Amino acid sequence: MRIRETGDLWWKTAVIYCLDVETFMDWDDDGTGDFQGLTQRIDHLADLGVTCLWLMPFYPTADRDDGYDITDFLGVDPRLGDVGDLVRMIRTARDRGIRVIADLVVNHTSDRHPWFRAARRSKDSPYRDYYVWSATEPPDTSEQVVFPDQESGIWTRDEATGEWYRHRFYRHQPDLNTANPAVRDEIAKAVGYWMQLGLSGFRVDAVPYFLEDTAKHPDDDLQDPHDYLRDLRSFLSRRAGDSVLMGEVNLPYDQQRRFFGDDDGDGTADGTELTLQFDFVAMQQMYLSLARRDARPLAATLAARPTIPRDAQWATFVRNHDELTLDKLSDDERAEVFAAFGPDEDMQLYGRGLRRRLPPMLDGDPRRVRMVYSLLFSLPGTPVLFYGEEIGMGENLAADGRLAVRTPMQWTDERNGGFSRAAPSRLPGPVVEDGYGPAHVNVAAQRLDPDSLLAFVRLLVRRYRESPELGWAREVEILDQPHDAVLAHRCTWDDGSMVALHNLAPEPVVVPLELHDCSTEGAPVRLVDLLEDGETVVDAHGRVELELPGYGYRWLRVVHEEERRLV
């Protein structure tokens, strides 16, 4: 096992943890989370085994879209602290072995950004071309709206000049014109600035949208939008060779593959564009499989994953900070998932997603919750956790829209979940109530309980980090077996190999497997359990039968004679 290579391409076996500083820990008790609070809680992340911290936007904001409406790309929201607080947090995280990346939101700005304020005052403003304008009224664009509950089109008329500006998202978020080289220079300046302060890269928001205008300017030296993504990756690598761009590209695999930057698609070369991409396709098929208690949709999707560059990686996840999108499912499939996990209209969002966390969707069944997180960490790729998942937080549907899953972190069973001592009315959002509230779900209690979800996720993280084949396997091998409810897959890299079994149904089963490379006339091959004590011997023909309880899961390391790895 070439363990030394896992340090060079650290992101291929990283454990990424996403949080919003505003809702994580309030140290000065003004009601808003801050960098001081995050720094005080870094040891929680280190104890969990996190190796990369992803920060949601911390920049100055008009705060009409939870920080994604930015008014200054080179600042820190004063409610959260200042640049010095950020640098101190980065240094503390680095001391604990945790890299830090941040959201790069360059598809748009707030309409209160100084650039847009100057642009809308006059058609002759030097900032006018920083945005996308139309002198004539655009046609109906209702089909292109991202948030249909808020907008009826993607163009809005500006009264000052009588022209229309484009906004893919909300009207208070005008789109930046990346066809303008001056805009790209501003983006590069921001990227370089934050890298100099210690970031290890960025999660890039809405990649296809912000690339759409690139290479359309008549004086542009770019011939293709992907040229810009390559330039951005190259610039980032010059500033820090081991930095990453993790991209939000919610497209079918055949289109998504190109954003890695490997045009021939044979997987032998390094990528030139995004370093990691979220696997939205597999995530949605996972929920379809869970709803049906049938692993075949997920198995077929994993088998269909395209070959990606040698140094690239899929980012796998159970849920993220947005709505749990189901837009790649058919209408009938989406209806199945809604019926299983979000039957009430208030649980759904935009007609395409859910605003719920996993435990309430699974009726709090600890067997199913643990099975799903075991599945997440066993899939080939880099797992991404959203804050609170490690303790099984729920949602608060009383909060607006996507804010239902962005509630304050639950540290203790005290008021406000130990997030802040301020009055509840001053918090960024309501704390979760009912059976998933802090009285029942919190970090402090689970730290003392060896059977808690926190302890289990900590075990998954440790075993994942000890199994680099999960991050480095070129492809996943779906193993033949007779049970539709069971996903049996194998990841192999160099001399390491692991078999994982997950039962999506409540009935126990015995899973017969045939591992052709494990047939031997000498010492038998063993399958050693990694999540509990035990092992199973493979017979001389490579056959083995494995018991799997209802909603059960097993990780099994393939151990040959003379194996030198510790198990």
Side-chain angles (χ1 to χ4, degrees):
M1 181 68 68
R2 298 185 297 275
I3 294 295
R4 63 185 183 274
E5 293 189 23
T6 66
D8 292 336
L9 306 183
W10 60 267
W11 54 87
K12 290 182 74 74
T13 51
V15 176
I16 301 174
Y17 188 97
C18 171
L19 64 83
D20 186 350
V21 177
E22 183 182 18
T23 58
F24 199 63
M25 183 66 203
D26 172 22
W27 203 249
D28 62 7
D29 291 323
D30 65 352
T32 300
D34 46 50
F35 278 110
Q36 290 187 64
L38 172 54
T39 303
Q40 293 291 335
R41 291 291 187 258
I42 284 293
D43 284 326
H44 168 68
L45 305 184
D47 180 62
L48 185 60
V50 170
T51 64
C52 179
L53 172 59
W54 158 24
L55 301 176
M56 291 169 62
F58 54 79
Y59 316 100
T61 173
D63 204 27
R64 298 183 64 188
D65 186 23
D66 205 29
Y68 284 87
D69 48 336
I70 295 169
T71 58
D72 181 4
F73 289 114
L74 300 176
V76 170
D77 187 331
R79 299 174 304 161
L80 312 181
D82 56 30
V83 172
D85 294 322
L86 169 65
V87 171
R88 182 181 298 160
M89 184 279 296
I90 293 173
R91 184 174 180 83
T92 304
R94 185 174 295 165
D95 176 68
R96 307 307 198 269
I98 301 173
R99 293 174 169 88
V100 181
I101 65 175
D103 260 325
L104 182 66
V105 186
V106 291
N107 175 72
H108 55 261
T109 69
S110 166
D111 61 1
R112 300 182 189 178
H113 195 291
W115 297 343
F116 191 69
R117 286 183 165 178
R120 73 192 316 177
R121 278 197 293 265
S122 170
K123 297 179 184 179
D124 298 323
S125 168
Y127 293 100
R128 186 73 172 183
D129 200 32
Y130 272 42
Y131 297 89
V132 182
W133 298 88
S134 174
T136 58
E137 183 173 3
D140 176 66
T141 54
S142 56
E143 295 289 325
Q144 302 177 48
V145 170
V146 175
F147 302 122
D149 63 329
Q150 299 290 325
E151 303 290 348
S152 59
I154 65 170
W155 293 88
T156 292
R157 187 175 186 272
D158 185 60
E159 297 299 329
T161 60
E163 293 191 344
W164 285 259
Y165 65 88
R166 196 186 68 198
H167 50 89
R168 290 290 183 186
F169 298 101
Y170 298 109
R171 68 183 62 201
H172 58 80
Q173 294 172 329
D175 289 350
L176 281 169
N177 178 19
T178 53
N180 184 348
V183 171
R184 299 200 296 268
D185 286 346
E186 296 281 5
I187 293 172
K189 181 168 70 173
V191 166
Y193 174 72
W194 294 115
M195 292 297 295
Q196 196 69 28
L197 292 180
L199 290 186
S200 294
F202 299 89
R203 174 263 184 187
V204 190
D205 187 57
V207 177
Y209 287 130
F210 98 80
L211 284 186
E212 182 173 334
D213 298 309
T214 309
K216 292 183 178 179
H217 196 283
D219 300 323
D220 204 340
D221 57 353
L222 299 181
Q223 301 301 311
D224 182 276
H226 288 267
D227 291 342
Y228 176 41
L229 203 51
R230 282 187 283 270
D231 286 352
L232 192 60
R233 170 77 177 270
S234 179
F235 173 78
L236 194 71
S237 297
R238 290 196 301 273
R239 293 298 176 97
D242 65 348
S243 55
V244 299
L245 289 176
M246 181 169 66
E248 180 190 34
V249 183
N250 183 12
L251 293 172
Y253 281 146
D254 60 339
Q255 300 174 48
Q256 192 175 8
R257 183 189 64 79
R258 192 182 177 197
F259 287 82
F260 282 119
D262 181 19
D263 292 335
D264 57 19
D266 63 3
T268 59
D270 286 346
T272 57
E273 297 182 36
L274 295 174
T275 321
L276 303 96
Q277 290 189 59
F278 292 98
D279 193 347
F280 284 97
V281 177
M283 179 275 292
Q284 296 182 48
Q285 293 296 324
M286 179 188 73
Y287 277 97
L288 180 61
S289 287
L290 291 172
R292 292 178 174 177
R293 298 179 178 177
D294 182 346
R296 288 177 296 176
L298 177 58
T301 299
L302 293 173
R305 268 183 173 178
T307 302
I308 62 176
R310 186 188 70 89
D311 64 342
Q313 185 61 297
W314 294 107
T316 57
F317 61 105
V318 169
R319 79 131 29 258
N320 61 13
H321 60 294
D322 285 330
E323 76 277 6
L324 199 160
T325 184
L326 303 169
D327 67 326
K328 295 297 177 288
L329 300 182
S330 70
D331 290 343
D332 289 343
E333 291 170 340
R334 191 179 308 112
E336 288 184 66
V337 178
F338 280 165
F341 302 132
D344 297 340
E345 188 173 339
D346 188 42
M347 299 173 176
Q348 303 166 17
L349 206 56
Y350 314 131
R352 63 173 184 263
L354 292 164
R355 60 190 203 106
R356 307 195 72 195
R357 283 183 179 255
L358 181 71
M361 286 195 286
L362 301 182
D363 299 321
D365 188 334
R367 301 172 302 163
R368 299 182 76 187
V369 171
R370 294 182 185 218
M371 181 270 293
V372 171
Y373 283 111
S374 170
L375 176 59
L376 167 68
F377 279 89
S378 74
L379 295 177
T382 294
V384 181
L385 291 171
F386 185 50
Y387 76 94
E389 283 192 279
E390 72 272 26
I391 58 172
M393 278 177 58
E395 71 276 353
N396 190 330
L397 295 175
D400 293 336
R402 295 176 292 178
L403 299 182
V405 299
R406 301 180 188 177
T407 57
M409 182 65 176
Q410 297 169 195
W411 296 105
T412 70
D413 61 1
E414 299 171 320
R415 188 175 77 158
N416 300 329
F419 161 75
S420 175
R421 295 172 181 168
S425 60
R426 298 180 63 190
L427 304 188
V431 176
V432 172
E433 300 172 345
D434 62 41
Y436 298 97
H440 306 282
V441 178
N442 66 76
V443 173
Q446 293 196 25
R447 282 170 61 89
L448 302 175
D449 181 0
D451 296 321
S452 66
L453 180 61
L454 176 62
F456 179 67
V457 174
R458 189 186 298 127
L459 172 63
L460 291 175
V461 170
R462 179 164 64 86
R463 286 309 200 181
Y464 170 82
R465 292 282 291 167
E466 292 172 351
S467 305
E469 56 265 37
L470 294 177
W472 282 77
R474 295 302 303 157
E475 58 185 18
V476 59
E477 179 185 359
I478 304 299
L479 302 175
D480 290 332
Q481 49 80 36
H483 305 290
D484 291 346
V486 173
L487 177 67
H489 70 280
R490 184 177 181 184
C491 295
T492 302
W493 176 67
D494 199 46
D495 63 347
S497 186
M498 195 190 86
V499 172
L501 303 176
H502 291 83
N503 184 1
L504 277 57
E507 297 80 19
V509 293
V510 175
V511 182
L513 296 178
E514 189 165 348
L515 308 174
H516 299 289
D517 63 326
C518 294
S519 58
T520 177
E521 296 180 358
V525 174
R526 297 175 295 136
L527 300 182
V528 179
D529 281 276
L530 297 183
L531 301 182
E532 59 185 19
D533 293 333
E535 63 178 51
T536 305
V537 176
V538 181
D539 73 17
H541 302 287
R543 294 189 293 260
V544 65
E545 291 190 345
L546 300 163
E547 294 184 357
L548 201 57
Y551 300 125
Y553 43 86
R554 295 179 72 175
W555 291 24
L556 301 155
R557 178 161 291 156
V558 180
V559 180
H560 295 268
E561 187 182 16
E562 306 297 332
E563 180 75 58
R564 300 187 67 182
R565 294 180 68 188
L566 295 175
V567 293

